[in-house]
């Protein structure tokens, strides 16, 4: 949540994005209760594979966004890009 909150400008936009992220976290909890099935006991391989896959997807997304934010900050420093409305010298964190 800190990653998205630091990279979104504006109180209402940040609040909406935080609420959306929390909502998807709740959906993740529902999915988690469905992928760990009783018939997969005692090792629960499908559930573990689903959790590992979801974690790897998140790591990939954060990595890609960090690269994008780095290049956008470089463009902003050169004056080629205005980030999130641009007033006040807003820069992404990564």
């Amino acid at each position: 949540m800190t990653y998205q909150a630091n990279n979104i400008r504006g109180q209402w936009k940040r609040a909406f994005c935080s609420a959306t992220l929390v909502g998807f976290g709740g959906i993740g909890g529902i999915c988690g209760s469905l992928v760990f099935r009783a018939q997969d006991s005692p090792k629960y391989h499908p559930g573990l594979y689903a959790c590992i896959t979801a974690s790897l997807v998140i790591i990939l997304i954060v990595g890609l966004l960090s690269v994008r934010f780095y290049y956008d900050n470089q463009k902003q420093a050169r004056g080629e890009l205005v980030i999130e409305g641009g007033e006040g010298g807003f820069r992404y964190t990564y």
Side-chain angles (χ1 to χ4, degrees), residues 27-74:
I27 292 170
I30 293 169
C31 292
S33 69
L34 297 174
V35 296
F36 287 96
R37 304 174 306 175
Q39 63 259 37
D40 297 331
S41 172
K43 296 193 179 190
Y44 300 102
H45 286 282
L48 292 174
Y49 295 148
C51 289
I52 290 169
T53 302
S55 296
L56 290 174
V57 167
I58 293 297
I59 290 169
L60 178 68
I61 289 171
V62 169
L64 291 173
L65 282 174
S66 294
V67 170
R68 168 79 187 267
F69 291 164
Y70 173 80
Y71 285 112
D72 283 352
N73 282 344
Q74 297 299 314

Side-chain angles (χ1 to χ4, degrees), residues 1 4 12-27:
M1 287 194 58
Q4 68 86 23
W12 294 108
K13 189 175 178 183
R14 186 178 301 126
F16 177 77
C17 290
S18 294
T20 303
L21 186 62
V22 170
F24 277 108
I27 292 170

